[in-house]
Amino acid sequence: MKAVMYNYHTWIPYQKEEKLVKDFEKMLKQSGFTIVNKVEHFFERQGYTGLWLLAESHFAIHTFPENNKIYVEISSCVKEYFNKFLEMLKESEYEID
């Protein structure tokens, strides 16, 4: 078996953190990913960083409200789940760069 990792990152327009977390967790689960744990940090002034540890790798969000941007990244060793997540992301309301 050959070790392979699939990775995708993009910028999307800023949304409230509560909506992002709900939407992305739903997409992760519907794609087939297993969420093992989640770590979140809300910055004192503004901003959010979230990291989801997946059995298949990880997913991260970093918000930059002052620039009206969010950085999103997913890494996975399971191509099927990875591709399904990307399809869902592209069909979602989020405009991806």
Side-chain angles (χ1 to χ4, degrees), residues 2-43:
K2 183 179 177 182
V4 178
M5 287 299 291
Y6 305 94
N7 180 271
Y8 178 77
H9 57 89
T10 190
W11 291 92
I12 62 173
Y14 180 76
Q15 297 277 335
K16 289 288 185 188
E17 288 80 7
E18 299 82 15
K19 179 170 178 23
L20 284 172
V21 169
K22 180 181 166 195
D23 289 349
F24 283 115
E25 280 188 7
K26 183 178 178 182
M27 284 191 277
L28 287 167
K29 289 176 184 175
Q30 288 180 345
S31 297
F33 287 109
T34 303
I35 299 172
V36 175
N37 205 348
K38 176 174 71 172
V39 178
E40 299 177 291
H41 179 75
F42 293 88
F43 293 92

Side-chain angles (χ1 to χ4, degrees), residues 53-69:
L53 176 62
L54 308 173
E56 304 80 11
S57 197
H58 69 277
F59 174 74
I61 298 172
H62 306 281
T63 69
F64 298 86
E66 66 279 8
N67 298 117
N68 198 37
K69 288 179 142 187

Side-chain angles (χ1 to χ4, degrees), residues 31-95:
S31 297
F33 287 109
T34 303
I35 299 172
V36 175
N37 205 348
K38 176 174 71 172
V39 178
E40 299 177 291
H41 179 75
F42 293 88
F43 293 92
E44 188 175 313
R45 235 185 109 151
Q46 63 181 357
Y48 169 84
T49 292
L51 175 67
W52 284 256
L53 176 62
L54 308 173
E56 304 80 11
S57 197
H58 69 277
F59 174 74
I61 298 172
H62 306 281
T63 69
F64 298 86
E66 66 279 8
N67 298 117
N68 198 37
K69 288 179 142 187
I70 298 168
Y71 179 78
V72 175
E73 180 176 14
I74 187 161
S75 291
S76 173
C77 60
V78 180
K79 188 175 184 177
E80 177 187 351
Y81 300 167
F82 178 78
N83 287 338
K84 189 168 183 180
F85 180 85
L86 290 185
E87 284 176 30
M88 293 176 77
L89 179 60
K90 289 174 183 173
E91 292 173 0
S92 74
E93 65 186 83
Y94 299 105
E95 298 171 26

